[in-house]
Amino acid sequence: LAKTTQPISMDSYEGQEVNITCSHNNIATNDYITWYQQFPSQGPRFIIQGYKTKVTNEVASLFIPADRKSSTLSLPRVSLSDTAVYYCLVGVLIYNQGGKLIFGQGTELSVKP
Amino acid sequence: NAGVTQTPKFRVLKTGQSMTLLCAQDMNHEYMYWYRQDPGMGLRLIHYSVGEGTTAKGEVPDGYNVSRLKKQNFLLGLESAAPSQTSVYFCASSYSSSGAYEQYFGPGTRLTVT
């Protein structure tokens, strides 16, 4: 079964760039890579998604190397409000073809003033 | 536009009791999911549905049943609760096949089985 591995925790300071890497050695050809943010007592919230190369939106960038066996979420200039748990999700579900969705264990990011 | 809602927010069951968790979404999404979240284990997919009247097993389906009689609702049932089912349960929905599409999550249901 595919496994998704992330660092358990990371510390940063306000204004710094934070990079969180997820390892997914068994990623399948059809799998997508998605990152979610979760605050205490809330459901996860979508940050960014990609399939290969680099994706950027207004809050983050996602870097995916050519072999797709890992991915890196980049948060530019973090603030105290970015303190949360970040999850990597790998997989895809396709009607009549099955599939899988595997979350990593989550990275607890602590941003300090 | 409420998004994804879950009922109830908290529940305490005794071993062997049954209950149903209700998930509702108002975004006209085809796909709906039930996850459980345990400390240090991330979220694990229990069951999912690709449309009204369809359901499929996820990673950890044992001890749970689901039904999707209406497109907007996805029910998760525990027929005979066990302490191992103590967890936080999240429902989610997406426009189409995930993970190719963003999932929208509900606020969660905290279930304790004693």
Side-chain angles (χ1 to χ4, degrees), chain B residues 10 25-26 31 52 62 68 71 81-82 87 91 95 97 106-107:
Chain B
F10 304 93
Q25 53 96 2
D26 60 4
Y31 278 60
E52 183 177 319
D62 294 342
R68 183 113 179 255
K71 186 176 184 179
S87 187
C91 176
Y95 172 72
S97 60

Side-chain angles (χ1 to χ4, degrees), chain A residues 56-99:
Chain A
T56 297
N57 62 23
E58 62 274 11
V59 298
S61 294
L62 177 59
F63 299 91
I64 305 170
D67 65 7
R68 302 201 328 124
K69 294 185 176 182
S70 66
S71 58
T72 299
L73 171 71
S74 181
L75 303 172
R77 299 179 299 280
V78 294
S79 64
L80 296 176
S81 62
D82 292 317
T83 293
V85 180
Y86 292 82
Y87 289 97
C88 170
L89 169 63
V90 176
V92 69
L93 295 174
I94 303 173
Y95 181 58
N96 278 341
Q97 297 182 36

Side-chain angles (χ1 to χ4, degrees), chain A residues 6-7 10 18-22 35 71-75 86 107 109:
Chain A
Q6 310 173 227
M10 294 182 70
V18 171
N19 295 309
I20 306 174
T21 296
C22 181
W35 285 82
S71 58
T72 299
L73 171 71
S74 181
L75 303 172
Y86 292 82
T107 298
L109 173 65

